Amino acid sequence: MGKLIKNHWARLIVLTAALYQIAAALEGFFWPKIFWDFLTTNLDPAVRPIPVLQSINLVLGILAFAWEWPVPLLSFAKTAMHRSIEARLAVYPLASLSALLLYQGTNPGIYYMIGMGVYFWAYSEGEVVCPEPWALPRRRRAGTV
């Protein structure tokens, strides 16, 4: 049995959240609704008549998807931003908050929080994200410094 590479697991969770957030934002353009509308109607201008919250969710979902699945066109791969778990832990709470505000985006918001927890677990154990996407970290050879 191998060792669980937590940042790969977190990447899969956040990829799922990002794809779901994009779908929720697109659905929100047609059926705009704030999740917290049963408590207050003060947040309704964020979704109607101008779809500000839906647009923010769409942009953050595409950014998270491009960040976690680095395709050659967007070239996030092999950059310091791609290798930084700290940057992910700073940006994903904002993506989670924007998803949780939209009615259709409550599930991706929860997935983002789970992914952030796993990324924090990986960070606290000293894991690093490899420069090459989906690669395994190299082992140090015995006897070398």
Side-chain angles (χ1 to χ4, degrees):
M1 297 297 290
K3 185 177 178 185
L4 174 65
I5 301 173
K6 287 166 263 331
N7 68 61
H8 286 303
W9 182 35
R11 178 176 290 162
L12 292 172
I13 294 170
V14 172
L15 270 171
T16 304
L19 193 61
Y20 201 167
Q21 185 179 22
I22 293 169
L26 293 175
E27 185 180 342
F29 282 114
F30 298 105
W31 297 284
K33 185 171 171 135
I34 290 284
F35 180 69
W36 306 102
D37 68 347
F38 59 90
L39 294 175
T40 181
T41 58
N42 291 338
L43 296 173
D44 283 347
V47 293
R48 256 183 317 236
I50 302 171
V52 175
L53 189 58
Q54 294 93 318
S55 301
I56 291 171
N57 274 297
L58 185 63
V59 168
L60 287 174
I62 291 171
L63 176 73
F65 192 79
W67 196 350
E68 296 297 338
W69 190 275
V71 292
L73 294 173
L74 301 173
S75 87
F76 259 114
K78 298 183 181 178
T79 63
M81 192 76 161
H82 171 73
R83 292 190 307 268
S84 176
I85 293 178
E86 298 91 342
R88 287 177 167 94
L89 290 174
V91 172
Y92 290 153
L94 301 174
S96 178
L97 176 66
S98 69
L100 286 170
L101 287 174
L102 193 64
Y103 178 76
Q104 293 88 348
T106 52
N107 284 349
I110 294 168
Y111 295 163
Y112 274 123
M113 288 191 286
I114 293 169
M116 286 184 297
V118 176
Y119 266 129
F120 184 75
W121 183 17
Y123 177 74
S124 65
E125 288 192 357
E127 280 192 18
V128 294
V129 177
C130 296
E132 189 66 33
W134 304 109
L136 297 175
R138 302 273 184 226
R139 289 186 183 183
R140 287 192 286 169
R141 294 183 182 177
T144 61
V145 177

